[in-house]
Amino acid sequence: MQTNRRNTNKWYSSKYWLIALVSMASLTATAAVKVDKAAPNFQLTNSQGEQVSLADFSGKYVVLEWTNHQCPYVKKHYDSDNMQALQRKYTDQDVVWLSIISSAPGKQGHVSPDKAEQLSKSRNAAPSHILFDESGEIGKLYGAKTTPHMYIVDQQGTLRYAGAIDSIKSANPADIAKATNYVDASMASLAKGETIAKKLTPPYGCSIKYKS
Amino acid sequence: MTTAIVRVISLLLLLSFCTVAAGNQHSASGPHIRVSLLSEHQSLVVGQQQWLGIRLSPELEWHTYWRNAGDSGEAPNVSWQTNADINFGEIQWPLPEQIPVAHLVNYGYSGDILLMVPITLNSIDTLNATTENATTARISAELSWLVCKEDCIPGWATLTIELPISVTNHTSVDAGLFQQTRKRLPAPQKLNGKYEITEQFLTLSVEPPHSANWQLMPLRADLVQHNQKQQWLADNNSNSANVLLAKSDYFSVVDEPLEFLMTDGNNGYYLTAHYNQSPSVTNSAYKPPIWLLLAFAFIGGLILNIMPCVLPVLSLKAMALAHHANNEHDSNRSLSHWGYLLGILASFWLFAGLILVLKSGGNAIGWGFHLQEPAVIAALAFLFVFIALMLWDIAPSGAGFANLGNKLTEGVGFSSQFFTGVLAVIVASPCTAPFMATALGVAMVSPALDTLLIFTALALGFALPLSLLSLSPQFAKALPKPGPWMETFKQFIAFPMLATVVWLVWVFLGQTNSLAQLILLCGLLLFTLLIWFAHKSRGKKSLIALILAVITAIYISVSANNKVNENATNQQLPSARAKQNSQPYDPTLLSELRNQQQVVIVNMTADWCITCKVNEHVAFKDPQLNQLLQQSDVHYLVGDWTNKNNTILQYLNQYQRSGVPLYVVYAGSKSARILPQILTPEIVINAIKQAQQELNHANK
């Protein structure tokens, strides 16, 4: 009887960890967006100082790209012109491309609007808008973990892809040619009305430098 | 701005270093890190396994990564080149640490690390053929890495060493480093475990070799949320532990084996967890072929003939047939032969149809579901008493009704045959409800056509013996010759009838209360008295007595249902009297408790179910919850799914589940709420309290 009581106490203490764990898990579960569910709307300021919201682009495909120009994994895709080529390819097809910077002020990748414009010009980038998410609120709403982290929202506002830019997790530009580009593959499937083969992949890259 | 400048400089350094490292260096350095290629021995010996190592030495506060980097980061990558015939093995990863970075967790190494790789020189043939200096092997490692603090810097280098080939090998100056690193490697012993997948968690069962503060690190990055705390629960009954891991957002595992490293920082074991294939969950396992089901249903139907509540009715019938066995002048003989069979078929089909309709309506039902209504129980009690009275020849003699019972069941015409069939099915149901539940459980969860076929097979089996008697003169002639013994036998079989009444009245008590039972017993007494009076008197008086008897039966039966609702909450149930903390799950008990507007929590569990055990540890051992379960209006039913069990399967199927755990909290007949697969005491307590409130509101 005595042993039982002791055991009960033991579980009693460990139990609270579990409760904390379950509640944390449910928080993250509700916070992270779900593929094939409505993409939550947001409003952010762009590099021109204008307010841009996801709902403005209803009826168009929208690609979200979390970025940080100092991150080696972002550099891998910009120095090789891989990311800019995708931006040009899809913005030409009337797809809206939103590059989002969630780096907090003082942290890696945080830039002024002017600097952002300048970076776009120097790198020959072609996003529809560069958006600033200094508070990290939208990044966390979307569960963005790394730079790059890619999302595709369809014309109906449904999230159709979330994850890595491509299939090879490395900082080596030589791997780009060998990898399957998930944004390209997903957009192609969507255009053909097919189901996306990999609609949720683990992103790779640098951790997003959130405020906290 | 200064940090930006520093980063630009470090990038330039990186670029310059890449070119430098491309030469014949065995070591190189990048920003915040030095890397080198080392050998444990000074030379290579043919056919012997030897060790090379890649040493990564990051600066203070910088780190490199394990094979699974965790939420971000990247493991070092090596590809080998050599002019010799050498086999390179896999990297032996030392035990990593968990490195929290902002909101993420990585697995890696914050200090110096040696990534050891076993190599074997197979032969020196290629060296002879291709190089002048045949006694030296040249080995290059193309290495890429990522070194991080909060920011990360990738690096690449080609490291080269040359090792002479000899017949003896002496340890090199770096041998000590290899020896130290071996102490940091996981044990060669591999562990096995099992895992299950729930909505938000991965539950694992492992047997650690000794107790320690173990952590599991998955080899795959997309398995668990690395930044969530792991919950370890020791199992009191064995050495095993159950672990709860929060599922990754990118979780896509179906049932493939999963690999982990289990480590406490000093010791480590590789662990392969296999999907916990519950022994009876797969579809093919619980669905026997349809012909087998039909055969069982047919045999079941045959057995029904000898059930205590059916046998008397059929015996009467058989005796009637014996009477008429020699009567060759029966005009309707050919048609009437089929009456009994058709009566049974029609009744069973009606049942099957009703069940299909209710099933499509999503109702929780089972064979004998009509027995969950106290009114039906009461009505059956009256019917059985009436049959017993008839058997004792205390049948009413009033106008037109004089020989109704006899005519209907003892006659040989089509309608009487048909009626006997219907009556047989009705009277059979109390006996068959518990008996046939298993076979019919399968019918319930089968497609509509299968259900219909199973019921048909059951009906055919049930009807066979008596149909044979009536169809074939040979069989009929085999019956014992009629005589005075028949009268004695007829009177005797009234007792199994009354025994059934005793059972029904007991069931009735379970559904209602002792007052309702008293009223029913008084009603039965009055009914018997009236029938007896109808039997004794003649003409109008007899008819009035009979009508009064019928009214008594109907009134008592119908009012029985009201008793349930009026007295549900404050009565003493047979089950409540003997109340322990939990009772085994029983569908009849569940529906009784629900009808009585009780709070019921059903826990479907199994010994082999890891998730169930976790919940039993964490939630159901909670003292507060146990207090709640002790309350008189809360009932805790536990279903054990350890072995195959169709009753529970049927329950699981109601909730579109094919396995355990399943937790449902009922607020009487008002609502059913499915709880998540991972429980905390609070989840259960709140669900129970909510159900209590719901019932309280409904009563006001």
Side-chain angles (χ1 to χ4, degrees), chain A residues 15 18 21 72-73 200 209, chain B residues 74 150 152 229 244 249 622:
Chain A
K15 187 184 74 189
L18 183 85
L21 177 84
Y73 293 89
L200 182 66
K209 312 305 179 201
Chain B
E74 190 186 330
E150 188 177 356
C152 296
K229 192 161 176 66
L244 267 160
D249 293 344
D622 181 73

Side-chain angles (χ1 to χ4, degrees), chain B residues 278-389:
Chain B
S278 49
S280 43
V281 165
T282 52
N283 279 354
S284 53
Y286 73 75
K287 267 219 170 146
I290 183 73
W291 62 264
L292 196 66
L293 287 178
L294 293 180
F296 275 125
F298 182 77
I299 293 166
L302 276 176
I303 294 172
L304 286 186
N305 284 289
I306 55 163
M307 294 307 285
C309 37
V310 188
L311 189 61
V313 179
L314 298 186
S315 306
L316 277 181
K317 190 76 215 167
M319 285 190 291
L321 286 170
H323 256 304
H324 295 267
N326 298 322
N327 185 357
E328 302 297 332
H329 307 293
D330 198 333
S331 55
N332 278 336
R333 200 172 172 93
S334 56
L335 179 64
S336 65
H337 286 156
W338 297 99
Y340 175 73
L341 177 64
L342 288 176
I344 287 181
L345 273 176
S347 311
F348 271 88
W349 284 339
L350 189 68
F351 248 107
L354 208 58
I355 280 161
L356 289 176
V357 168
L358 288 176
K359 201 169 83 170
S360 66
N363 269 327
I365 44 122
W367 178 250
F369 62 91
H370 59 295
L371 294 176
Q372 291 155 11
E373 294 288 327
V376 177
I377 298 286
L380 279 171
F382 282 103
L383 177 66
F384 278 85
V385 167
F386 182 69
I387 294 171
L389 292 172

Side-chain angles (χ1 to χ4, degrees), chain B residues 397-632:
Chain B
S397 57
F401 290 90
N403 270 318
L404 181 71
N406 278 355
K407 265 190 187 164
L408 283 175
T409 56
E410 293 184 3
V412 288
F414 178 77
S415 58
S416 91
Q417 294 272 29
F418 188 85
F419 181 75
T420 311
V422 174
L423 186 70
V425 175
I426 293 170
V427 299
S429 54
C431 299
T432 52
F435 178 71
M436 290 304 291
T438 315
L440 287 160
V442 182
M444 300 302 165
V445 298
S446 302
L449 182 66
D450 289 8
T451 306
L452 208 61
L453 284 173
I454 287 168
F455 272 85
T456 307
L458 198 56
L460 290 175
F462 192 20
L464 183 72
L466 222 58
S467 297
L468 280 180
L469 283 180
S470 93
L471 281 170
S472 154
Q474 275 77 27
F475 273 102
K477 274 172 188 156
L479 285 171
K481 290 269 175 286
W485 68 269
M486 276 175 56
E487 198 57 30
T488 314
F489 183 66
K490 198 174 87 173
Q491 283 170 12
F492 169 74
I493 56 182
F495 289 98
M497 284 292 166
L498 291 175
T500 311
V501 174
V502 171
W503 180 69
L504 286 170
V505 170
W506 180 77
V507 169
F508 185 79
L509 175 65
Q511 294 176 326
T512 58
N513 55 31
S514 52
L515 181 67
Q517 190 193 31
L518 182 68
I519 293 170
L520 174 65
L521 286 168
C522 291
L524 287 170
L525 182 67
L526 181 65
F527 177 78
T528 313
L529 180 73
L530 288 166
I531 297 285
W532 172 78
F533 189 75
H535 170 67
K536 282 290 168 196
S537 51
R538 289 280 170 275
K540 220 173 189 178
K541 275 184 194 166
S542 171
L543 182 62
I544 290 168
L546 183 68
I547 289 168
L548 281 175
V550 171
I551 289 171
T552 307
I554 291 172
Y555 175 75
I556 300 277
S557 301
V558 170
S559 62
N561 261 18
N562 302 333
K563 294 288 183 303
V564 169
N565 297 332
E566 282 164 23
N567 301 304
T569 41
N570 44 14
Q571 69 197 318
Q572 275 284 307
L573 315 159
S575 50
R577 263 183 253 126
K579 190 167 154 75
Q580 291 157 356
N581 215 345
S582 73
Q583 303 168 69
Y585 167 77
D586 168 33
T588 324
L589 178 61
L590 175 63
S591 55
E592 278 173 20
L593 291 170
R594 291 193 68 187
N595 278 334
Q596 290 154 16
Q597 306 309 320
Q598 303 283 300
V599 174
V600 190
I601 171 161
V602 173
N603 169 5
M604 289 300 175
T605 180
D607 281 351
W608 40 258
C609 162
I610 305 163
T611 313
C612 307
K613 287 194 170 168
V614 167
N615 288 326
E616 274 144 37
H617 274 151
V618 175
F620 288 101
K621 278 193 176 171
D622 181 73
Q624 210 190 333
L625 173 57
N626 273 299
Q627 260 176 9
L628 201 57
L629 293 178
Q630 300 280 2
Q631 290 181 9
S632 59

Side-chain angles (χ1 to χ4, degrees), chain B residues 25-62:
Chain B
Q25 316 268 335
H26 84 280
S27 74
S29 56
H32 309 290
I33 194 166
R34 268 195 75 76
V35 296
S36 49
L37 174 58
L38 309 175
S39 171
E40 190 178 18
H41 295 103
Q42 294 170 6
S43 54
L44 290 176
V45 176
V46 175
Q48 206 173 77
Q49 191 189 63
Q50 291 173 269
W51 292 86
L52 294 183
I54 287 172
R55 188 181 188 184
L56 301 165
S57 315
E59 278 174 15
L60 196 67
E61 293 185 345
W62 289 75

